[in-house]
Amino acid sequence: MWIDELRLSGVKKDRGIAMRMQSKFYLADIGNTSIIYSRKDADFHVLQQRLGSNSSSEDLRINTSFNLHKILPKWMGLNIPLSSSFSNVVNIPKFYPGTDIYSERSEAPDSIMTKSQSISFNSSISKSSKSDNKLVKLTLDNLKGNFSTSRSTKSSEIMESEVSQNYSGKLSYGYSFARDNYVKPFGWMKSVPLVGKKMSEFQMYYTPSSFSSSMDFTEKLTEKLSRAGLRSPDVYNLGLNRRFALDYKIFSNLSVKYDQNSKSNMNDYRGYVWTAVENLDPGIITNVTENFNTNFKPELFSLFKPNFTYSAGYRWDRPVSSTVDGADIGTQVRFSTNFSLDPAQIFESIYKPPSDKKTGSSRGRSRTRTRVETEDNKKNEDKNEDKKDDKGNVVLNVVHGFIDRFDPLNLTYTETINRTAKAVQGEVPIGYKFGWLSEHGLYQDSTRVGSNTGSFDHKQDISLRSGFKLTKKTSVSLSFGENISQTIGGSGVEQRSI
């Protein structure tokens, strides 16, 4: 027989205290500093909670910002904001882990506390005003740079220390050309009948609209040491990203856009970053993406203004950890066009009915109108009454009214091609990247990927829309759509659908 007796006496009345203090300091518009300190006991809880967190916490945060450019000469036209932050957080449990023994705040060992401390610094530089010097205006005025670094340390019941260090920086340049950078090669055709006026306004641009380039790097290092004395392998990553973009409006109705992004792994240069800079070595390229977009809007006639769009995207991947001797590539090509034809506008280009203009005497006339009028006014009124509105051709007016009941005819056509290939060795041709070639013509290491060497997907969509007005409040909508799809998977099985 087991007998257990439990007696309760009194009510537990442990007090929980929480406090928060905040202070801010401003030095005009040059800089400012804020300090925030907070503390909370293990037994503190709000009214919506029944119990506390059983862990006391203490938090200190300091944030500082400083505008270095405010103390520099204005003629330099620089913008250099600096900022830094510091935080320290300590959590102490109320009891020793796995026991009911109280832990005193002043005597608690590090092995039961959770600590975290971090410090960071951020800076950037750019020009806030344009220079008068042409060379500086073309170079330094368009440069922007930033740099940031941070360091954090953590410790817990399991980990004795966990140290993380991060460094990142970016340098970019961009330039936009003037909008009047074009010539009119057919300006002399202005006097030519029919097409002369349209051709004389044709514009050909001799410089790009804009271009930009940027380069940024990130370096991360993490070191871990457990309470048992086991040190984990360091986690290190040094990456470099590069980007280039070009926007070129070749003609007034033709524009081209191109951008390229590449990522590199530079882990081999750990501790020797300046050596890579001196040698201009970007490291091992692991990813490349390229995009090409073209838009063409010819105005052949005022009634026919089609729109053509061609876009191509290319992707190249080869991770450092890959065991395949080759890269995985993918392309996406998309062509679309749309135009609208209005039957009423086409008919009006041949015959346009006169507009209806209703004329009449003013509704509100004064009852005390003067009875005597001059002979000139009487003659003018007689002439106005004798005039008849030109009604035009009655038959053509009827035909125009019937054609006007038809809604504009809208046609849209879209074609999309998606292709992938695995374990590709060698330089991929430009024509394959942007859809001009159907095959890359390169060797693929099928011994590593097997029969799944790539896939192919081809889709065509066409749609027609129009309508007819039966009455002012009744109309009929007409639409037609067709989709054709062809898919070839990695196993070589082809599927077609309509």
Coordinates of all heavy atoms in Angstrom, one line a residue, residues 139-168:
T139 N 32.3 60.1 -64.4 CA 32.9 59.0 -63.6 C 32.4 59.1 -62.2 O 31.5 58.3 -61.8 CB 34.5 59.1 -63.7 OG1 34.9 60.4 -63.3 CG2 35.0 58.9 -65.1
L140 N 33.0 59.9 -61.4 CA 32.8 59.9 -59.9 C 31.3 60.2 -59.6 O 30.8 59.7 -58.6 CB 33.7 60.9 -59.2 CG 35.2 60.6 -59.3 CD1 36.0 61.6 -58.6 CD2 35.5 59.2 -58.8
D141 N 30.7 61.1 -60.4 CA 29.3 61.5 -60.0 C 28.3 60.3 -60.1 O 27.3 60.3 -59.5 CB 28.8 62.6 -61.0 CG 29.4 63.9 -60.6 OD1 30.1 64.0 -59.6 OD2 29.1 64.9 -61.3
N142 N 28.7 59.2 -60.9 CA 27.8 58.1 -61.1 C 28.2 56.9 -60.3 O 27.6 55.8 -60.5 CB 27.7 57.8 -62.5 CG 27.2 58.9 -63.4 OD1 26.0 59.4 -63.2 ND2 28.0 59.4 -64.3
L143 N 29.2 57.0 -59.5 CA 29.7 55.9 -58.6 C 29.0 55.9 -57.3 O 28.8 57.0 -56.7 CB 31.2 56.0 -58.4 CG 32.1 55.5 -59.6 CD1 33.5 55.8 -59.2 CD2 31.9 54.0 -59.8
K144 N 28.7 54.7 -56.8 CA 28.1 54.5 -55.5 C 28.7 53.3 -54.8 O 29.0 52.3 -55.5 CB 26.6 54.3 -55.5 CG 25.8 55.5 -56.0 CD 24.3 55.2 -56.0 CE 23.5 56.4 -56.5 NZ 22.0 56.1 -56.5
G145 N 29.0 53.4 -53.5 CA 29.6 52.3 -52.8 C 29.1 52.2 -51.4 O 28.6 53.2 -50.8
N146 N 29.1 51.0 -50.8 CA 28.7 50.8 -49.4 C 29.5 49.7 -48.9 O 30.0 48.8 -49.6 CB 27.2 50.6 -49.3 CG 26.7 49.4 -50.0 OD1 27.0 48.2 -49.7 ND2 26.0 49.6 -51.1
F147 N 29.7 49.7 -47.6 CA 30.4 48.6 -46.9 C 29.8 48.4 -45.5 O 29.4 49.4 -44.8 CB 31.9 49.0 -46.7 CG 32.7 48.0 -45.9 CD1 33.1 46.9 -46.4 CD2 33.0 48.3 -44.5 CE1 33.9 45.9 -45.7 CE2 33.7 47.4 -43.8 CZ 34.1 46.2 -44.4
S148 N 29.7 47.2 -45.1 CA 29.1 46.9 -43.8 C 29.9 45.7 -43.2 O 30.3 44.8 -43.9 CB 27.6 46.6 -43.9 OG 27.4 45.5 -44.7
T149 N 30.0 45.7 -41.9 CA 30.6 44.5 -41.2 C 29.9 44.3 -39.9 O 29.3 45.2 -39.3 CB 32.1 44.8 -40.9 OG1 32.6 43.8 -40.1 CG2 32.2 46.1 -40.1
S150 N 29.9 43.1 -39.4 CA 29.2 42.7 -38.2 C 29.9 41.5 -37.5 O 30.5 40.7 -38.2 CB 27.7 42.4 -38.4 OG 27.5 41.3 -39.2
R151 N 29.8 41.5 -36.2 CA 30.3 40.4 -35.4 C 29.4 40.0 -34.3 O 28.9 40.9 -33.6 CB 31.7 40.7 -34.9 CG 32.4 39.6 -34.0 CD 33.7 40.1 -33.4 NE 34.2 39.2 -32.4 CZ 35.0 38.2 -32.7 NH1 35.4 38.0 -33.9 NH2 35.4 37.3 -31.8
S152 N 29.1 38.8 -34.1 CA 28.2 38.3 -33.1 C 28.8 37.1 -32.4 O 29.4 36.3 -33.0 CB 26.8 38.0 -33.6 OG 26.9 36.9 -34.5
T153 N 28.6 37.1 -31.1 CA 29.0 35.9 -30.2 C 27.8 35.4 -29.4 O 27.0 36.3 -28.9 CB 30.1 36.4 -29.3 OG1 29.7 37.4 -28.4 CG2 31.4 36.8 -30.1
K154 N 27.7 34.1 -29.3 CA 26.6 33.5 -28.6 C 27.1 32.4 -27.7 O 28.1 31.7 -28.1 CB 25.5 33.0 -29.6 CG 24.9 34.0 -30.4 CD 23.8 33.4 -31.4 CE 23.2 34.4 -32.3 NZ 22.2 33.7 -33.2
S155 N 26.4 32.1 -26.6 CA 26.7 31.0 -25.8 C 25.4 30.5 -25.1 O 24.5 31.3 -24.9 CB 27.8 31.4 -24.7 OG 27.2 32.4 -23.8
S156 N 25.4 29.2 -24.9 CA 24.1 28.6 -24.3 C 24.5 27.5 -23.4 O 25.7 27.2 -23.2 CB 23.2 28.2 -25.4 OG 23.8 27.2 -26.2
E157 N 23.5 26.7 -23.0 CA 23.8 25.6 -22.2 C 24.5 24.5 -22.9 O 25.3 23.7 -22.3 CB 22.4 25.0 -21.7 CG 22.5 23.8 -20.8 CD 21.2 23.2 -20.4 OE1 20.2 23.9 -20.6 OE2 21.2 22.1 -19.8
I158 N 24.3 24.4 -24.3 CA 25.0 23.4 -25.1 C 26.2 23.9 -25.7 O 27.3 23.2 -25.7 CB 24.0 22.9 -26.1 CG1 22.7 22.3 -25.5 CG2 24.7 21.9 -27.0 CD1 21.7 21.9 -26.5
M159 N 26.2 25.1 -26.2 CA 27.4 25.7 -27.0 C 28.1 26.6 -26.0 O 27.5 27.5 -25.5 CB 26.9 26.4 -28.2 CG 26.2 25.5 -29.2 SD 27.1 24.1 -29.8 CE 28.5 24.9 -30.6
E160 N 29.4 26.4 -26.0 CA 30.3 27.3 -25.2 C 30.5 28.6 -25.9 O 30.4 29.7 -25.3 CB 31.6 26.7 -24.9 CG 32.5 27.5 -24.0 CD 33.8 26.8 -23.7 OE1 33.9 25.6 -23.9 OE2 34.8 27.5 -23.2
S161 N 30.6 28.6 -27.2 CA 30.8 29.8 -28.0 C 30.4 29.6 -29.4 O 30.6 28.5 -29.9 CB 32.2 30.4 -27.9 OG 33.1 29.5 -28.6
E162 N 29.8 30.6 -30.0 CA 29.4 30.6 -31.4 C 29.7 32.0 -32.0 O 29.0 32.9 -31.7 CB 28.0 30.2 -31.6 CG 27.6 30.1 -33.1 CD 26.1 29.6 -33.2 OE1 25.5 29.2 -32.2 OE2 25.6 29.8 -34.3
V163 N 30.7 32.1 -32.8 CA 31.2 33.4 -33.3 C 30.9 33.5 -34.8 O 31.3 32.6 -35.5 CB 32.7 33.6 -33.0 CG1 33.1 35.0 -33.5 CG2 33.0 33.4 -31.5
S164 N 30.3 34.6 -35.2 CA 30.0 34.8 -36.6 C 30.5 36.2 -37.0 O 30.3 37.1 -36.3 CB 28.4 34.7 -36.8 OG 27.9 33.4 -36.5
Q165 N 31.2 36.2 -38.1 CA 31.7 37.4 -38.7 C 31.2 37.6 -40.1 O 31.3 36.6 -40.9 CB 33.2 37.5 -38.6 CG 33.8 37.3 -37.2 CD 35.3 37.3 -37.3 OE1 35.9 38.2 -37.8 NE2 35.9 36.3 -36.7
N166 N 30.7 38.8 -40.4 CA 30.2 39.0 -41.8 C 30.8 40.3 -42.3 O 30.9 41.3 -41.6 CB 28.6 39.2 -41.7 CG 28.0 37.9 -41.3 OD1 28.4 36.8 -41.6 ND2 26.8 38.0 -40.6
Y167 N 31.1 40.3 -43.6 CA 31.6 41.5 -44.3 C 30.9 41.5 -45.6 O 30.8 40.5 -46.3 CB 33.1 41.4 -44.5 CG 34.0 41.3 -43.2 CD1 34.3 40.1 -42.7 CD2 34.4 42.5 -42.6 CE1 35.1 40.0 -41.6 CE2 35.1 42.4 -41.4 CZ 35.5 41.2 -40.9 OH 36.2 41.1 -39.8
S168 N 30.5 42.7 -46.0 CA 29.9 42.9 -47.3 C 30.1 44.3 -47.9 O 30.3 45.2 -47.1 CB 28.3 42.6 -47.3 OG 27.7 43.6 -46.4

